[in-house]
Each structure stands twice: as structure tokens, then as C-alpha cells.
Amino acid sequence: MVRPGGIGDFIVSLPALECLKADFTEVWTAPANVPLARFADAARAIPRTGLDLLGVTEAPPKLIDELRSFDSIVSWYGANRPEFRELVLGMGLPFTFFPALPPEGTGMHATDFYLSQARTLGGAASDGIPRIDCPREHEEGEAFAVIHPFSGSPRKNWPLERFRELAHRLERQMAVRWCAGAEDPPLEGAARFDDLYSLACWLARASLYVGNDSGITHLAAAVGTPVLALFGPTDPAVWAPRGPNVRVGRW
């Protein structure tokens, strides 16, 4: 399976990917997402495969042979590259292509959209909740909340000062720790992790997570941490994280 996109895009599609799992399943995805494909037998970063250069430069014979070795390739990569789709299908490679984004205006949650695609291929049943297994041990007296005040777009961010006000209130009940991604703005004292699975395991130890519509918010929900997801311009009916411990607020 080839699943490009950001952290949140990958996580909301996890139920669909998992219900398509075969006797041997390999996932090609964005480099940062590779550690999160834990259900798969193997996972690789798309740039390391050379797939993104197919149709741009001469196709390496090794890559074509490798693609031919798969019985089936389900791909969300190539949705916006018609020349890529024509090339690989013209070679007789076993690709099935799906649109990478839910259609606008339907109100269908992204996870349900991807699951509907998987069902056309006979995918197994799913409850539609993305999950990433992590250790959840809590040491005595270690209760803490995590706040991640950023996202992939500034327009989706609740004002930082409002997060600081919330943190001040939370500190009456538990410690508050801040979190920031590698590409987020500087934030004094924020925890940063190079590996997303290491971040996931840290989030799994938290008693509460608060964040914007972001990939890290989806990650916190997927490991089972109680989540308050704050949505502004984006539609939570389509993009809210899923799980029994998720609550959504609008601003």
C-alpha cells in the first residue's frame, strides 16, 4: 500500500489500511509516518523507494521489478499525477488508485471515506477507530497534561495566549508539559521528538492532551489518551480525531 500525506492523513486512514492487510503487507509512506505503520510487515519511506521519481526520470529497472513482485498495490499516491497513473497502468503494474481526500460537501468523516474505498476491495470489517499500540505505564505521582499549540497551518491554531491561560488553570490539578514538532515555531521548554512512535509512547503516558486540528492531536487520540481537540475553520465532522476519549471544541 502506498499512503502519502501528513501525520493526520495517515492516522485517519489506518483502519482502512489495516482492514486491507494481507499475508504480507508493505506500506510506503511519508518518512515521518514510517514508525507508525506498526501493523504492517514492512514499511518504507516513499523517497527511498524512488516511486516519486517514476515518470519524472527514467524508471530504474530494479523499482519496476519490485513493483511487479507485488500481487496488488493499493495507492493513494498519484491521485494528482495523471501521467504517473497512465505510466504504471500502461506497464501492467498491479495498481489500484484511490482519491487521497474526501469529497467536499458530503460531511463524511475521512476515516469512513477511506474505509468505503477499502470495502470495494473486500476489506475486513472495522470499527473505524485508528489505534496505535503503545505502553501506557504511569509512575506514581506522574500525572501530567500535554499541550501542543501548533498545527500544519497557522489559521487552524487557537491563539497561543489562550493555551497559556488554559495551562495556568490545568496546573492547579496536574503538571503541564508542552509539545512541539520539528517544523513548529520555537517554544521554550517544549518536548520535541525525532521519531513519531517515541512521541506516541510519551503521549500515551499523559492524563490529558489538548491541541488544534493537527497530526499530533490525531496521534494522541490513536494511543488512547483523553483528548480535547480544538477546531477553528476546518470541519470536525470530517477531520476530528476518533476514539472513546476524544472531545471536540470549536472556537
Side-chain angles (χ1 to χ4, degrees):
M1 289 179 276
V2 187
R3 182 56 172 116
I7 302 166
D9 298 325
F10 185 79
I11 291 174
V12 296
S13 63
L14 273 176
L17 299 178
E18 291 177 357
C19 78
L20 290 173
K21 183 174 170 59
D23 292 338
F24 177 84
T25 298
E26 184 165 323
V27 173
W28 295 5
T29 186
N33 295 332
V34 168
L36 302 182
R38 309 193 70 77
F39 72 94
D41 299 290
R44 297 168 65 186
I46 291 173
R48 288 187 173 273
T49 68
L51 187 71
D52 53 334
L53 298 179
L54 194 57
V56 178
T57 62
E58 185 175 352
K62 181 180 179 181
L63 171 61
I64 302 305
D65 290 342
E66 186 171 16
L67 294 172
R68 290 191 192 281
S69 71
F70 292 105
D71 296 319
S72 174
I73 303 171
V74 181
S75 181
W76 287 267
Y77 179 84
N80 296 320
R81 290 186 60 195
E83 75 287 351
F84 174 86
R85 298 196 302 272
E86 292 173 8
L87 176 64
V88 298
L89 294 176
M91 292 179 178
L93 298 175
F95 274 82
T96 298
F97 288 100
F98 284 128
L101 292 173
E104 294 185 8
T106 65
M108 177 184 285
H109 194 278
T111 294
D112 294 331
F113 174 67
Y114 299 125
L115 280 170
S116 71
Q117 295 172 330
R119 282 194 289 271
T120 67
L121 299 179
S126 170
D127 64 1
I129 297 177
R131 293 182 177 87
I132 297 172
D133 291 332
C134 289
R136 296 187 59 83
E137 293 85 358
H138 292 263
E139 296 180 7
E140 189 68 27
E142 198 191 15
F144 65 93
V146 171
I147 295 178
H148 176 236
F150 304 118
S151 72
S153 171
R155 72 187 187 92
K156 297 194 296 182
N157 294 347
W158 201 42
L160 182 58
E161 281 309 307
R162 300 297 299 274
F163 277 111
R164 294 192 191 279
E165 292 171 8
L166 177 60
H168 182 69
R169 294 183 182 184
L170 283 173
E171 284 169 345
R172 300 170 188 169
Q173 303 179 50
M174 66 184 77
V176 174
R177 302 181 185 179
W178 295 81
C179 170
E183 298 180 2
D184 288 334
L187 182 64
E188 185 179 356
R192 296 177 188 261
F193 294 79
D194 295 329
D195 178 280
L196 281 179
Y197 185 68
S198 297
L199 172 58
C201 292
W202 182 68
L203 293 173
R205 294 169 46 211
S207 300
L208 174 67
Y209 169 94
V210 184
N212 298 303
D213 171 21
S214 72
I216 305 305
T217 300
H218 282 278
L219 186 63
V223 301
T225 297
V227 164
L228 174 59
L230 301 174
F231 274 69
T234 45
D235 186 357
V238 179
W239 293 110
R242 276 190 165 173
N245 299 322
V246 174
R247 297 294 181 269
V248 175
R250 300 299 304 266
W251 51 269

